[in-house]
Amino acid sequence: MKRIIALLLIALGIFSSCKRQLEVPPKGVLSPDQVANPENIDKFVIAAYSPLGNGDINVSFSLWQYGDVRSDDAYKGGRDEGDGQEFHFMETFYNMRPDFWPIDGLWYRIYVAVSRTNIALSYLNKIDEKAYPLKKARQGEVRFLRGYYYFLLKELYYRVPYIDETVPQDNYATISNTALSSDALWEKIAGDFQFAVDNLPVKQAEVGRPSQAAAYGFLAKTRLFQAYTQDDKYNVTGIDKGKMQAALDAADKALNSSFHLEQDFANNFLPGNFQNGPEAMFSIQFSHDDGTLYGRLNYGDALSVPQGLGCCDFHKPSQNFVNAFRTDNNGLPLLDNFNERNVDLANDNVDPRLDHTVAIPEHNWKYETKHVFKKSWSRNPGVYGYYASMKENVSPDCDCFVQTPPFFPNSKNKILLRYADVLLMKAEALIELGRQDEALPLINQVRTRAAQSTNLLNDANGSPQAKYNVGTYRPGVNITWTQDIARKALRFERRLELGQEAQRFFDLVRWGVAAEKLNAYFQVEKSRVPFLNNANFTKNKNEYLPIPQNQINFSRGVYQQNIGY
Amino acid sequence: MRRLLTSILLLCTLGAVAQQRTVSGTVRQKETGLPLAGATVKSSLQTIATDSLGRFQVLTKTGEHLQVTYVGMIPATAKVPATGTMAFVLTPSSTDLTQIVVTGYQSQRKADLTGAVSVVDVGELKKQAVANPIKALQGEVAGVFISSNGSPSAPATIRIRGIGTLNDNDPLFIIDGVPTKAGMHELNPNDIESMQVLKDASAASIYGSRAANGVIIITTKQGKAGRVQVSANAYTATQFYTTSPQMLNAGGYGQAYWQAAVNSGRDPNVNNIAYRFQWHADNSGKPMLDKILLPAYLDAAHTMHASNTDWFDAISKQGLIQAYDISISNGTEKGNYLFSAGYFDNQGVVKTTGFNRLSARMNASYKLIDGRLTIGENFTINRTREVIDPGVLNLALQALPIVPVHTVDGIGWGGPVGGMNDRQNPVRLLEDNKQNNYHYLRVFGNVYANLNIMKGLDLRTSVGLDYGNYVQSNFQKKYRSGYLVNDMNKLTMTYSNTSKITWSNTINYNRSFGAHLVNAVAGTEFYRQNDMSFYASRQNFAIQDPDYTYLDAGTGNKDNGGGAAANALMSYFGKLNYTYDNRYLASFTIRRDGSSRFGSNNRYGTFPAFSLGWRISQESFFRQLLNPSVISDLKLRFGWGKTGNQEINNVAAYSLYVTDYAGGNPLWGPTNGTAYDITGAHTGTLPSGYRITQRGNDNLQWEASTMSNYGIDFGLLNQRLTGSIEYYIKHTSDILVFPPYLAVLGEGGGQYVNGASMENKGWELTLSYHGKWRQLNFQMTGNISGYRNRITSLPASVVNNYGGNGLNDNILGRPINSFYGYVADGLFRTQKELDNSPAQQGKGLGRIRYKDLNGDGVIDNKDRTWIGSPHPDFIYGYNLTLQYKNIDLSLFLQGVHGTDIINQVKYNSDFWSVSETGSNKGSRLLNAWTPQNPNSTIPALTATDNNFESRFSTYYIEKGTYLKLRNVQIGYSLPASVLSRMKMQRLRVYIGGDNPLLLLKSKSFTGLDPESPGYGYPNPVVVTGGVNITL
């Protein structure tokens, strides 16, 4: 009896020494002290890369919805207008609202990427270079990435809150999207790429990391955008010659590297050993059978797969875009009247890049005669026609083509900066600086390569699938090479060369011609596809997306909405 | 009063022929049929007690009335028959003042309670054929709101006295002294002896940090002294899905498609969903649909007939419920035991879904050292198995009627072709999911020792265990369903276990000194929970047989993952109850809790409470003023107390990094992966990094509620009519919030903070009446309650995150979860209305007109306001029990009034293009607005949502008011004479049903079941037949 009482009292007493029982450390996670050391630094750098491949069908870092569908190059596609309806409204610029969730989702996801670069940099900055000899190079990589992420934000949303690793987290909410002027924001982005240029090696052992040339390429791109001065209503008011020269210089450095054009245009868009080729200056590295659920696949472009091969037949080249590939007897594009009638693929001359870029009924799918693209592969041709975008797609037989119904993504790399793009940026800078004659060989270099790129375009009988004819500009022979014509030719060339690579809309805004070009496009195109009936681009508004309504609300008025919304 | 009546009656009837004789009989309890030992049987000549078998012999006068009373039972009277024996069946009373109520680490007489404690009529709960007794609690107790659906495991959400926090609002369960928050559907309802709901803080605060949402105390059955008792119950029920949405059939879908196209100026024949339309415009230009042409086959290979599938029909079936349980108990002076076993099986109304439970319980106690030491245990072990609905209810709504369930061979699956939506065939999903069940093994209970040191002083120690072992297998089969194809099968096995240990030690003192009654308890409690889980998967199985598909049998990729969590609580508590002369009651409680979940700066919280009561009816002046037969009991109560809530993530206080290799399922949205193929290898293991998941907060602390409770308990007409009225004010402060945050903070931007406050003010009324008319005994219990909720403060940084315009209009001062949106003001019906309306992009005839609330002439997001609140005005329940001879009948009605609900189905039933245009729609669309149908309230069909009608507006908000007949049951008990021949004590058969009738719903509600306006598992109508046997 007494013993029992004693036991019970002991039991009660035990608890006085039980305070440490409340120290229950978290399981399977790490505290900041545990991770911030030299062994882990590289992992923060990797984590800053991974957002490149973390997109999904609605938040696509390839920006096909924003760069192509909003331009004259592509229709949204899919089941009908109501399928991904926000993108239908973005395509027609009708009913554009700041509360569209994809706009908020994209904003958030890019800032997640930015925050990973800032976390990595805050640890990198603190570390001793002796303990971590790669410090400078890794800082260069991460600032390259941050520059890239802010570049996306800038071209999409115009003015965004700029936060780098020096800003304490408690101050984030006080930083407005209008704290920096548009130009100051370009300077910040250029600053990151400049740092990358100064610190990145000429060649990287691991292909996923950017080289110095890639940083030069993006620096050129940043300066090029910056050189077209905009007023606060997005009207292009002129050319900043200094910035244009800076773009030219950077492009020169980028081109003066081990990178060069592929022999065949096709190689840029093929999987396997063609990836990370000589023209791919910076790519998103996708992978399959890598221990993740389905693989780190390109979900951002997964909707582009035609219905005949999977789902969901989005990203459909426009008729206007296809017509742009018609060439005259000299193999030159019809700069002014290409859209007067639809191209007749049986009889007209066309630029072979058409068959690399656009899937056309009864032509080969991804260069394979055993997979002929059929009309029946299109999901709703009555609305969106019979073309499909091909660059991001792969052969259904490729082991990189992964079925994860209802989506069918692939693990082929996505090129974010192509040597040809830099060539044309350099040409553009030269033309705007009045040195169009120096631009001519650059444009012709791209066209010559296009002319060579017909080897994979034969049908099952070995004959070409269309009348391919692409020639170079020869002043005095087939063209009068003035600055105006050179500008027109350059802009047309960018469309042909970089079509369906989500460049077009941003190019049009850079040049200050978005309203004019797109409204003219709608005028004709809506007679071909009635879903464009309501389409109308509002100048001084639709050049940029609205700042997401959620972010304005969460910021409690610190953020200012873009004009017009 | 009653005695007076009886006397008068006796006088009248007896008169001349007063004749003495001895009558014998039995007294039993109604619910269990068990004999009641020690019941008091009173005649005019003699008062005796029943023996251990409930038998009695008493001297009476012929024609007089015998009265039988028993603690906790409603007294019964019956006329002494001329011959034969008498059988009394007593009904437990939930209002009896002498009833003993468990209130946490101790028990009290109901009459002495000063807090808001409701005693649940457990017998009523058990009448419903549901796996979870908590679901059946709906409408039974004032102030307790249950929401649920018809899923076979009967998951239920419980809200006691409204929503008190932005976090976990679930109450704490204390089962035989062991706390748990886990699912009640895993326990056998038939093991429940009693259930109490502690609603206010003064009652609940003894449970400190987990009591803010109220506490439900459950005591399981114990063996009772007497002889061996065997009781068995069985029922079987069949259930039907009666509330499936009215969808378009194949022709109707075509008609709606055509209408949407012509309304939008499109050629309806430009489609890739196999429909062709013959149509023309009549003389007035009105488009007329002549004929819909459908192909014989949907696909080129001719495997799918164009069909007319009713997908809700295709996924549902008549469900079957079976339940059996048996218990054996015995008790002696040396101890008692009870053993029970139960089986419950519910094959739901959605095909292949089902839940079953096998349970066993052993409760035993042994008295040692002359009865001073009691050692006992209460343990139950349960195995539940469930196949859950894989999400077909929304899919059944979306699937096109033209798609067949199967291909022409009757084996393959129908599915979308061409331009149809990319949704799965719901029947295929169900069929391919039927092997994907989980097994959950749960062991729950405690062992205890109680030592009686001296009279009134007890030491008790108890170790409680709640252990769960969960195994789930998910095999994803290969399939081909239209263009949806999966060529790779995959098995994922998931395992997790949870162990929760509670060790409590208490010292109890219970003595009376003259008119003073003292009841005190002090103790400590330690709680620790450990969770662990992992999964493993494998791809590529040659054979898809469930007997073959184990991880070793696959040949493809492997994947696995897992994690763990833990938390601990350390508590010290004390409670003192004091009663003077049955008149003045007081109670004081204090508890101090420490939790591992909180920041090192604020780990401990203290939770005090007190309550006072005054039984005015015991005062002599009151007795003189009022006859007890008018007001037999009257008690005033006041309580105040503070309780806590610690139900947040275990690691909420920390800044954390994780490695997140894959980062989630890319089909469900962007992933958070930290891996990247930096070397360009394109396959194999990738380098991977860290990502931050949240920001830490060392100052994180308890969320605290204080509640004041005012109560009146009363009994009228000699306790024939009893009831209570409660009023409370509950204020919750330091609510733990994990607010949405600015995107620039990135993925680790979230942080738990203490910041919000809210208030609930509410009232409750419970009334119970029992009476008798001739041979008809009846009992009525009704309750009604309501509350008003408002958010009183929010941190400035998150004030805009719960609705509002982001600037000056926010949720402060409004009920939590209030709806914010546009006001839909009917449709534009004339050109004039259109011309005179504010600018509204996309407006047109037959389109929704929105109100320009700020009067600036433009409809935009500044024209939103607060358009509804999901809180009911009041909820109520009404229970009627009738007993006539051997027949009993009960009805249970339950209702909710004045709640605003979002009718999710309307997005599909009233619009073509607001949700997925490629999906099937409700048949209401056939009555949509057209110039020829100008009075319709359903907007015209359009191909795209140009008028932005998907905006959240009053169009989607309807009143969720309803009154349902929840349960009806009629039973027949065999008479004692027959029973004794069969050597039985009781045999009752019954039939009944759950949810047979929706008696009332709001006119504005356009759906079928206001209780589940979304796509939840339907609440079926259940028809039950059963038998109760006691040997």
Side-chain angles (χ1 to χ4, degrees), chain B residues 549-787:
Chain B
T549 49
Y550 286 87
L551 291 168
D552 281 347
T555 56
N557 286 344
K558 299 172 181 179
D559 191 12
N560 59 62
N567 73 87
L569 276 170
M570 179 71 230
S571 314
Y572 310 89
F573 54 86
K575 184 171 186 181
L576 173 69
N577 299 321
Y578 171 75
T579 305
Y580 176 71
D581 196 21
N582 285 331
R583 281 185 285 160
Y584 306 110
L585 317 165
S587 173
F588 305 92
T589 310
I590 190 154
R591 175 153 175 150
R592 185 166 166 77
D593 272 4
S595 168
S596 63
R597 284 181 172 152
F598 292 100
S600 45
N601 304 342
N602 290 304
R603 201 153 265 165
Y604 277 84
T606 303
F607 305 97
F610 73 91
S611 54
L612 305 168
W614 180 27
R615 284 184 77 193
I616 307 183
S617 55
Q618 301 300 109
E619 297 285 357
S620 51
F621 69 83
F622 191 89
R623 287 266 171 249
Q624 284 161 7
L625 219 63
L626 281 166
N627 191 314
S629 64
V630 181
I631 297 185
S632 38
D633 183 52
L634 182 64
K635 179 166 72 176
L636 303 183
R637 294 184 275 111
F638 172 74
W640 177 90
K642 188 174 173 185
T643 50
N645 190 357
Q646 60 128 27
E647 292 305 316
I648 55 168
N649 192 308
N650 284 333
V651 294
Y654 298 87
S655 284
L656 296 175
Y657 283 100
V658 294
T659 58
D660 201 349
Y661 188 78
N665 187 333
L667 294 182
W668 303 338
T671 60
N672 297 311
T674 54
Y676 190 71
D677 180 27
I678 199 76
T679 63
H682 294 288
T683 187
T685 303
L686 309 176
S688 178
Y690 300 113
R691 69 181 186 89
I692 192 165
T693 58
Q694 65 182 28
R695 295 188 288 158
N697 182 353
D698 283 343
N699 295 318
L700 208 62
Q701 62 166 331
W702 299 103
E703 180 178 309
S705 289
T706 52
M707 192 193 272
S708 301
N709 190 79
Y710 305 83
I712 302 173
D713 294 336
F714 55 86
L716 308 175
L717 311 173
N718 271 331
Q719 298 298 99
R720 218 172 259 280
L721 177 66
T722 56
S724 62
I725 302 169
E726 311 265 356
Y727 176 75
Y728 60 88
I729 302 169
K730 179 180 185 180
H731 191 81
T732 312
S733 56
D734 290 333
I735 292 176
L736 297 160
V737 287
F738 187 82
Y741 54 89
L742 266 180
V744 292
L745 286 163
E747 60 206 328
Q751 183 181 42
Y752 278 96
V753 293
N754 292 94
S757 299
M758 73 167 81
E759 185 183 79
N760 281 283
K761 289 181 180 174
W763 52 273
E764 290 156 5
L765 171 65
T766 307
L767 280 177
S768 183
Y769 183 82
H770 61 87
K772 184 175 172 169
W773 183 73
R774 301 209 172 170
Q775 294 213 47
L776 181 69
N777 280 297
F778 59 94
Q779 180 167 8
M780 292 182 277
T781 306
N783 70 77
I784 181 165
S785 59
Y787 66 89

Side-chain angles (χ1 to χ4, degrees), chain A residues 23 30 40 79-81 85 95 97 109 116 123 169 208 285-286 289-290 296 307 379 382 405 413, chain B residues 266 270 272 419 483 485 603 657 661 672-673 675-676 678 682 690 695 747 913 916-917 945-946 948:
Chain A
E23 299 289 343
L30 296 161
N40 280 319
R79 188 187 60 239
D80 57 21
E81 302 95 309
Q85 194 161 211
N95 211 352
R97 301 192 313 273
R109 284 289 155 184
R116 287 198 184 177
Y123 290 129
Q169 220 168 20
Q285 309 290 326
F286 289 107
D289 291 330
D290 53 14
R296 287 183 55 84
Q307 209 69 3
R379 190 175 183 188
N413 276 5
Chain B
R266 307 282 161 73
V270 173
N272 198 16
Y483 63 70
V485 175
R603 201 153 265 165
Y657 283 100
Y661 188 78
N672 297 311
Y676 190 71
I678 199 76
H682 294 288
Y690 300 113
R695 295 188 288 158
E747 60 206 328
S913 54
E916 283 286 315
T917 48
D945 181 22
N946 288 349
F948 183 24

Side-chain angles (χ1 to χ4, degrees), chain B residues 237-259:
Chain B
T238 173
Q239 49 185 346
F240 313 90
Y241 185 9
T242 57
T243 55
S244 63
Q246 302 299 303
M247 304 306 295
L248 292 167
N249 60 19
Y253 181 81
Q255 195 183 329
Y257 184 96
W258 172 84
Q259 188 74 56

